[in-house]
C-alpha cells in the first residue's frame, strides 16, 4: 500500500497546494457472511427467500466494492451477514473491498479484482472513457444527495469568501472533486485541476484523514460526502453549500452500482441477485430509517479501524441522503459535462453506459415502477 502524503500547513499562512498520493485500497474485508437469517424482528433480510443458503449461482464467488460512507449505506447494510444482498446470492460467496473514493475502485474493477462496485458517477464516467466504453455498465441506482461544502467560519465567511481558501476533496477526479472544481470554475475562480493550485487551493485527502487535517488547521474546509461533512460541522465547520441546491428537485446521483461488462456477460444471474438485493435493501432502509442508522453504525464499527458515529454526526448525515433505485441518469450526463468544464475529462460518448434491463425486471417483479429515463445513454 502506498503511503499518503498529507499537506503540512498552518493557518493563516497560505502555501502552495500539492496533490495527495492516495492508497489504491484502504482495506479489504474478509469474506462476509451470506445466506443466513437471524430471524430478528425488522431484520432487513427478506424472510422465506428461496435462494438463501442454497446452491451457488453461475459464479461460486463475487467480489463487490463499496465505501464506508453513509452514501453507501445500501452496500453497508445490504452486505451484512443475512442482509438482502447476501441473502439473494445464496451459496455464491461474497468478498468485499472498501475504498476511499471512486478512482481506486475503478482501478480494481479494470484489473479484475472487482466484479461490481458501488461508486459515484464521475469515476464511472472516467472508467468508461478510459476503456473506450468496454469496462463497465451502470446497472442500478443506490443514493442521492449527502454531499456538502463545509468550512471554518473564521477562515471562510461565506461562498463569496473562497479566494485563497484551502478546500479538501477525497481524491483527484472523484465525484466531490469534480463538483468542487466545476463550481469554482462557474464562479470565476481559476484552479489547476491536476495539482489543485490557483485562486482556491484544492487538496486531495482521504475522507478518514480530513477531520484531523481540519482540526490541525491544515485545511479551511472540504467538499465531501456524509458522514465526513457532518463530522466537520460537529468540529465547528458551517455548511456553505448543500450540493442538492445546485440540482433540479435537489436530486443528483451520488452512488450507483456498476458491473464489469465481462462479469455481466458471463454471470447475469449473479448481477440480478445483487440488484434485487439493492432494491430490497433500499426499500427496507426507507421503511426503517432509525433501525437502518443503527445497523449502519454497528457495521461501521465492525470494520477494521472503524468506530461508531455519535448521534450528532450520524443523525444529520443520514438525514441528508436519499436511498433510491433510480440511477438518475440525467445527472450523470451533467456530471460528465462538469468534468469536461473542470479539465478532467475530454468529450466522451457515453451511449451504452447504462443497462437498466435487469433493474427494470427486478422492479417489475417487486411491483415497483420501472425506470424509463436513461438520458439516452442506455445500451442500444
Amino acid at each position: 500500500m502506498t503511503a499518503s502524503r498529507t499537506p503540512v500547513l498552518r493557518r493563516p499562512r497560505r502555501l502552495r497546494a500539492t496533490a495527495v498520493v492516495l492508497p489504491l485500497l484502504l482495506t479489504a474485508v474478509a469474506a462476509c457472511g451470506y445466506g443466513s437469517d437471524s430471524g430478528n424482528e425488522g431484520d432487513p433480510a427478506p424472510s422465506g427467500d428461496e435462494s438463501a443458503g442454497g446452491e451457488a449461482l453461475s459464479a461460486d464467488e463475487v467480489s463487490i466494492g463499496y465505501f464506508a460512507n453513509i452514501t453507501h449505506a445500501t452496500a453497508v447494510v445490504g452486505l451484512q451477514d443475512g442482509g438482502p444482498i447476501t441473502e439473494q446470492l445464496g451459496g455464491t460467496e461474497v468478498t468485499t473491498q472498501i475504498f476511499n473514493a471512486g478512482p481506486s475502485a475503478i482501478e480494481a474493477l479494470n484489473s479484475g479484482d472487482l466484479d461490481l462496485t458501488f461508486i459515484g458517477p464521475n469515476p464511472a464516467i472516467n472508467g468508461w472513457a478510459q476503456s473506450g466504453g468496454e469496462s463497465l455498465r451502470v446497472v442500478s441506482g443506490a443514493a442521492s444527495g449527502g454531499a456538502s461544502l463545509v468550512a471554518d467560519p473564521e477562515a471562510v465567511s461565506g461562498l463569496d469568501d473562497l479566494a485563497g481558501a484551502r478546500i479538501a476533496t477525497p481524491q483527484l477526479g472523484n465525484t466531490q472533486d469534480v463538483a468542487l472544481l466545476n463550481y469554482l470554475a462557474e464562479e470565476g475562480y481559476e484552479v489547476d485541476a491536476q495539482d489543485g493550485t490557483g485562486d482556491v487551493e484544492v487538496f486531495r485527502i482521504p475522507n478518514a484523514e480530513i477531520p484531523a487535517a481540519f482540526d490541525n488547521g491544515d485545511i479551511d474546509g472540504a467538499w465531501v460526502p456524509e458522514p465526513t461533512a457532518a463530522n466537520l460541522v460537529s468540529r465547528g465547520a458551517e455548511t456553505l453549500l448543500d450540493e442538492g441546491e445546485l440540482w433540479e428537485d435537489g436530486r443528483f446521483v451520488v452512488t450507483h452500482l456498476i458491473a464489469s461488462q465481462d462479469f455481466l456477460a458471463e454471470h447475469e444471474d449473479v448481477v440480478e441477485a445483487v440488484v434485487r438485493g439493492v432494491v430490497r435493501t433500499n426499500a427496507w432502509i426507507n421503511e426503517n430509517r432509525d433501525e437502518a442508522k443503527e445497523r449502519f453504525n454497528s457495521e461501521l464499527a465492525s470494520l477494521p479501524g472503524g468506530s461508531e458515529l455519535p448521534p450528532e454526526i450520524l443523525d444529520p448525515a443520514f438525514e441528508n441522503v436519499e436511498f433510491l433505485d433510480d440511477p438518475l441518469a440525467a445527472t450523470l450526463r451533467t456530471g460528465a459535462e462538469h468534468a469536461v468544464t473542470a479539465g478532467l475529462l475530454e468529450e466522451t460518448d457515453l451511449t451504452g453506459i447504462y443497462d437498466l434491463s435487469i433493474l427494470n425486471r427486478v422492479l417489475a417483479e417487486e411491483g415497483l415502477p420501472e425506470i424509463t429515463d436513461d438520458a439516452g445513454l442506455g445500451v442500444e
Side-chain angles (χ1 to χ4, degrees):
M1 181 180 296
T2 304
S4 299
R5 291 189 293 113
T6 302
V8 180
L9 301 172
R10 289 294 181 269
R11 187 183 293 119
R13 186 182 179 193
R14 305 288 187 185
L15 298 182
R16 181 178 177 85
T18 56
V20 176
V21 180
L22 298 179
L24 170 64
L25 178 65
L26 286 187
T27 183
V29 180
C32 58
Y34 39 87
S36 63
D37 186 352
S38 67
N40 294 335
E41 183 178 357
D43 186 76
S47 61
D49 192 282
E50 65 275 9
S51 67
E55 296 182 359
L57 302 176
S58 64
D60 293 331
E61 182 178 356
V62 58
S63 178
I64 303 176
Y66 65 96
F67 313 159
N69 296 339
I70 287 177
T71 53
H72 287 239
T74 302
V76 176
V77 173
L79 287 166
Q80 285 182 337
D81 183 11
I85 299 175
T86 52
E87 182 91 348
Q88 285 300 308
L89 287 165
T92 293
E93 183 179 0
V94 184
T95 59
T96 59
Q97 296 183 49
I98 303 175
F99 298 85
N100 165 64
S104 303
I106 289 295
E107 290 182 25
L109 188 83
N110 289 344
S111 68
D113 291 334
L114 282 180
D115 302 313
L116 302 97
T117 188
F118 293 82
I119 200 168
N122 289 98
I125 293 166
N126 290 336
W128 174 270
Q130 292 164 7
S131 69
E134 297 182 355
S135 64
L136 60 90
R137 301 240 191 253
V138 178
V139 294
S140 177
S144 166
S148 303
L149 171 61
V150 301
D152 178 355
E154 295 184 3
V156 182
S157 61
L159 289 173
D160 58 354
D161 188 34
L162 290 173
R166 300 162 298 169
I167 307 297
T169 66
Q171 189 172 7
L172 173 64
N174 97 304
T175 298
Q176 287 75 49
D177 190 61
V178 171
L180 172 62
L181 291 173
N182 178 72
Y183 178 79
L184 294 175
E186 289 186 341
E187 294 299 311
Y189 295 102
E190 294 185 2
V191 177
D192 186 296
Q194 295 298 321
D195 67 15
T197 59
D199 297 336
V200 178
E201 298 177 311
V202 180
F203 292 88
R204 283 67 183 234
I205 307 174
N207 274 304
E209 299 175 17
I210 288 177
F214 181 79
D215 286 347
N216 292 337
D218 297 337
I219 57 174
D220 299 318
W223 193 307
V224 282
E226 298 292 4
T228 307
N231 191 337
L232 295 182
V233 169
S234 75
R235 297 165 184 265
E238 292 184 356
T239 301
L240 299 182
L241 181 68
D242 181 327
E243 190 177 338
E245 298 173 22
L246 303 176
W247 296 91
E248 183 178 357
D249 300 326
R251 278 183 162 183
F252 61 99
V253 59
V254 69
T255 307
H256 53 204
L257 177 67
I258 64 173
S260 156
Q261 286 189 24
D262 290 342
F263 189 84
L264 177 60
E266 296 174 8
H267 304 291
E268 183 175 321
D269 61 328
V270 178
V271 176
E272 181 171 338
V274 176
V275 170
R276 183 175 291 104
V278 166
V279 170
R280 294 189 178 185
T281 301
N282 285 341
W284 183 84
I285 290 174
N286 289 325
E287 293 170 2
N288 303 272
R289 298 283 293 197
D290 289 341
E291 186 174 353
K293 283 193 297 185
E294 294 175 3
R295 284 180 178 269
F296 171 86
N297 221 14
S298 176
E299 186 67 12
L300 192 67
S302 72
L303 299 177
S307 60
E308 288 194 353
L309 298 172
E312 62 268 23
I313 296 175
L314 179 65
D315 292 345
F318 217 86
E319 186 67 25
N320 287 338
V321 181
E322 178 185 7
F323 301 96
L324 74 176
D325 308 318
D326 188 344
L328 303 173
T331 65
L332 176 139
R333 184 174 58 190
T334 301
E337 295 169 358
H338 290 173
V340 172
T341 300
L344 292 175
L345 179 71
E346 296 182 357
E347 292 284 351
T348 301
D349 183 2
L350 297 175
T351 303
I353 195 172
Y354 287 95
D355 183 350
L356 303 184
S357 60
I358 293 174
L359 174 62
N360 282 326
R361 185 161 66 240
V362 168
L363 291 173
E365 292 173 356
E366 298 288 314
L368 298 170
E370 296 184 14
I371 306 302
T372 58
D373 183 11
D374 62 10
L377 304 179
V379 176
E380 294 181 332

